[in-house]
Amino acid sequence: MLATLVAIALVVQDQAPLRASPQDSSPRQATLWQGEWLEVRGERQGFLQVYDHRRERPGYVRATQVRVYSLDETSVPRLQAVMEFVKETPGAEALGIGHAAALLRAAKASQVGPEFFAALGTMADRLARRATSNRTNDTALAAHLDVAASYGVKLLGFEREGRTRVCYDGEAFRRVLALGGGAESRLQAALSLTRPECIDPALGPVELHALHTWRRSVLEQVDASALPPYLANRLHLRRAEVEATLAYQFSRRGEPQRGSEAAERSVDVLARVSKAELAEEDREAYAVAAVRVGASRAASAHDTPPPSSGPRLAWTPGQPGETCLRLEEAGDGRRVLFERCTYGLVWPASSRRSAQGTAVTVAVQMLEGWTELWVFHQEDGEWRLDTLAPGAVEPSLGYVELAGFSPDGSRILVTREVVSEGRVKSSFQVLKRDTLAPERSAGRPEAIGSFQRWSSADWRERTVSLR
Amino acid sequence: MSDETRNEQQRDEQQRSEERKQHEPKRGEALRKAWGLMGETARGVVSRIRWLVYAPRGRRVMGGFIVTGVVAGVVAAQPVCTIEPGEVGVRVNRLTGSVSELPEGWSLLVPHVHRLSRYSLKDQTFRPERSARATGPAPFQSMEGLSIGIEVNIRYVLDPGKIGALSARLPENVGEDIVEPLIDGVLRRHFAQHSVREIFSTHRVRIQKDLTEELAPLLAADGVLLRSVTLGNVDLPAQYRAGMETLLAEELNTEKMRYTLELKDKQVKQSALEAEADKVRREKAAEAAGSEEIIAAKAKAEAMRHILPFKEKEIEQRRLEAEAAKVSRLTLATAEADAHRIQAAGEADARRKIAESDAYRLEITGKASSEQLARDAELISRNPLLIQKTLADKLSDKIQVIIAPPQSGGFIAGNLLGPAGSAPSAALATTGAPGGEE
């Protein structure tokens, strides 16, 4: 039906009244919002006689409150200019989306390229961000969302951490990736499509794995070498996050080789981030990505030969999904000193033993971004197991890793990094071996002299906390 | 019979009798000549025989004749026979009646004493050519009485072990004389028991089997081993064939439909099985997903369990901190109260001291006042105008009091003091700022 229209009017002002007759005193039939589409049927006394197909209602609207376009190729440059102008204008998303819809109708197929979809996606994405931010004075938001929805721009809402997050489903960005486009457009599309906060929290592990695999394939479609360094950093950060997540998932699904490869790739990609070129707004994302990589770092560790003397760790599968860790004496007797089963992912290659053989640690990844350090230690001839968690917060994102033992074996050095209330907290601690109570703690390793002296070269080589 | 014909016969008879009368004197003369010739020939022969016997040349010639005759006799009688490979020979002695089997190769055969019969041991086939076509000289008959041609191929072989025993009673051409009539009879009987349709399509294999089963023992009794019976092309009468083909086509269609239905049925079953497999696969996938979710949830719960002690410690710490805060507040409050109390006591003491000092002061002041009063009284008694001045002082420090000299000869407080004629008039004036006194 719309294709047969001669001229359309796009509302450019919020709360423009649609009146019953061409007079300002006549009753208001409806309130129009910017970006709405009206069919023009005539003009009377400074008013346009229009028909609102959405509300199925005719009426009059002030000619100054709308812009009239004919739906043919003559309007394309004007529509393009308006769209380019409002593309980066906050609050004018609905207007831009309306113009994009008109442009799509008026232009020939050959005139619609990836740039068009990039602009449309940018506006839809910004509208979603605007809907997520809880600004109370944004009265036009609901109406703008409504206008965008009427043009088929789909915005999805998720409940996350007690608040609703609105996300764009990324249809336009998918088209950008399909049609080609410049490196920056592709990067923007890929970053928008793979946004971690827009992952549905209700997804199960199987769907999540499929989603992360898809995210990896999307990010691989962007060429980092064609981007300026600060934008390339964003791509590297996102890729590091995705690879770290996949490292856990592959290992969990019984594909340790692929998991190890993904973990190595995540470290490699994180190392590509140029800190000198890191934009200020990306610093937090850099820290979060590093925590995520640190949590899956153990997946890439290579097996070390078991010690010839002293206690050593062995592991056997228990119930489905369960791993049973057994601390046993070396030698032929193999007396079991301690045993514990866990549903977490045990990284046997991360197992370390103090020089005196009084403490053995191993990394256990409970969730895809949550790695604990299990410490087997000997007290009064008895072995016991204590768990070091990244922090006393809801398990979401964080890791603890062993940084070394004191020369006498009475102290354990650990690094903890955890995301709490949206911020990354790093701490470098010296713990007493018997109680695991922190003796000294600091935000930087240089602040503790003993930490500096006793931390192992092995840890310095593989950690991402010293970034 | 016509008269012309009768006349011609009479003419022929007359002609023949005339010819007989002419030849009778010639026959006697010829007989005489023949008799003479015979006598000469006999004499010639006797002389030749005498020449052959008595003359040396004659004896050589006779020897030549005898040798030639013997050779010709041997060649004509053939006393050595050859048995070819794949054959067996049976030699019957006519004088003794004994029978012997001759193997492959040469054997001696005494003419007029021995009789040799050869039997082939190779597989032989019998194809009744005369019955191969429905329009042929001897077609088979079906149960309906229709003439049909059937290509039958029967393969048989003579039993080598029985040839010796049977050679006495079997003709030499066993195939033609024994086997073929026998087979032909059985074939005809069998085909006559079946309808054309059965022969043509449905019972072909069965007929073949029945034929084999019946022919084998019959032929075995004659020392013939049946190898196989094969039915080939069945030739039907043209019209019947057309109808039959239509019928068969219909049947074929029916059969096709049956197979189509079976195929459909199998497809349905296949779909059902695939759906079932798909269902099982999905169930398994769901189960796997479920178990993965369960594992993830368990891992999360375990992580939570590891966090809980810290949380508890944190809560305990907070409780302790609160208690410490409470204690410190209490201590603070107590200290404050004590301080207040001490302060109050101090203040009370201070007040008492102040009161005491006040009382003391009052006492002293009183004493001093009374002494002052006494002194004042004494002073007033000496200077009465001092009262007016004092009164003016007490009225207010802000009121300017001008004590004018009594104009009408009286003091302003004269009413109070009564006429004081003796009082010295004085002029007192108070002016200036508060406190200012003059």
Side-chain angles (χ1 to χ4, degrees), chain A residues 425-444:
Chain A
K425 289 179 184 166
S426 307
S427 53
F428 298 84
Q429 297 179 324
V430 179
L431 311 178
K432 289 180 185 166
R433 196 206 65 208
D434 47 357
T435 59
L436 296 184
E439 194 178 55
R440 299 199 64 191
S441 184
R444 288 180 301 113

Side-chain angles (χ1 to χ4, degrees), chain B residues 73-85:
Chain B
V74 167
V75 169
Q78 292 183 342
V80 176
C81 68
T82 312
I83 305 298
E84 298 289 333

Side-chain angles (χ1 to χ4, degrees), chain B residues 6 21 25 51 71 105 148-149 177 182 193 209 228 231 233 237 259 335 344 348 380 393 409-410:
Chain B
R6 219 173 282 142
K21 285 171 187 173
W51 178 74
V71 170
I148 53 171
D177 298 340
L182 182 78
Q193 288 170 355
K209 196 175 156 206
S228 67
L231 296 186
N233 182 37
Y259 282 119
I380 289 166
D393 284 348

Side-chain angles (χ1 to χ4, degrees), chain A residues 205-206 342-343 366 372 391 395, chain B residues 289 293 295 298-299 302 304 306-307:
Chain A
V206 179
T342 175
Y343 280 98
M366 289 295 177
E372 298 175 345
Chain B
E293 283 201 25
I295 290 165
K298 281 181 176 168
E302 202 177 325
M304 244 349 250
H306 294 155
I307 295 296

Side-chain angles (χ1 to χ4, degrees), chain A residues 204-207 248 252-253 320-321 340-344 366-367 370 372 374 387-395 416, chain B residues 285-314:
Chain A
V206 179
E207 294 98 336
Y248 170 79
R252 176 94 264 181
R253 293 168 69 89
R340 169 79 69 88
C341 295
T342 175
Y343 280 98
M366 289 295 177
L367 311 174
W370 190 260
E372 298 175 345
W374 284 19
T387 305
L388 288 176
V393 293
E394 180 85 11
R416 292 178 200 247
Chain B
E287 207 176 300
S291 69
E292 277 196 35
E293 283 201 25
I294 288 168
I295 290 165
K298 281 181 176 168
K300 187 159 186 175
E302 202 177 325
M304 244 349 250
R305 211 164 57 231
H306 294 155
I307 295 296
L308 279 177
F310 295 105
K311 284 265 187 197
E312 279 169 8
K313 271 187 192 169
E314 207 175 82

Side-chain angles (χ1 to χ4, degrees), chain B residues 7-128:
Chain B
N7 291 336
E8 277 180 10
Q9 283 178 352
Q10 285 171 359
R11 270 199 306 271
D12 285 344
E13 282 174 9
Q14 284 172 3
Q15 203 171 354
R16 276 182 213 131
S17 62
E18 284 173 7
E19 281 177 2
R20 268 196 303 271
K21 285 171 187 173
Q22 285 174 2
H23 284 300
E24 274 175 6
K26 289 178 184 175
R27 194 182 293 164
E29 194 178 345
L31 282 173
R32 276 190 305 273
K33 280 181 184 177
W35 181 251
L37 278 172
M38 283 174 66
E40 281 179 18
T41 306
R43 279 189 296 274
V45 167
V46 170
S47 70
R48 279 288 167 189
I49 290 170
R50 286 174 64 192
W51 178 74
L52 284 170
V53 174
Y54 296 108
R57 193 178 164 206
R59 280 199 292 271
R60 282 200 296 275
V61 170
M62 195 175 66
F65 278 136
I66 288 168
V67 169
T68 307
V70 166
V71 170
V74 167
V75 169
Q78 292 183 342
V80 176
C81 68
T82 312
I83 305 298
E84 298 289 333
E87 280 188 340
V88 66
V90 176
R91 187 173 61 188
V92 181
N93 192 324
R94 288 176 177 166
L95 298 177
T96 61
S98 66
V99 175
S100 60
E101 282 184 32
L102 302 181
E104 295 171 13
W106 289 3
S107 297
L108 190 66
L109 206 65
V110 181
H112 305 293
V113 175
H114 287 144
R115 183 170 63 85
L116 177 72
S117 302
R118 296 167 198 265
Y119 297 98
S120 174
L121 291 178
K122 290 178 184 169
D123 281 6
Q124 297 174 54
T125 53
F126 167 50
R127 292 192 194 87

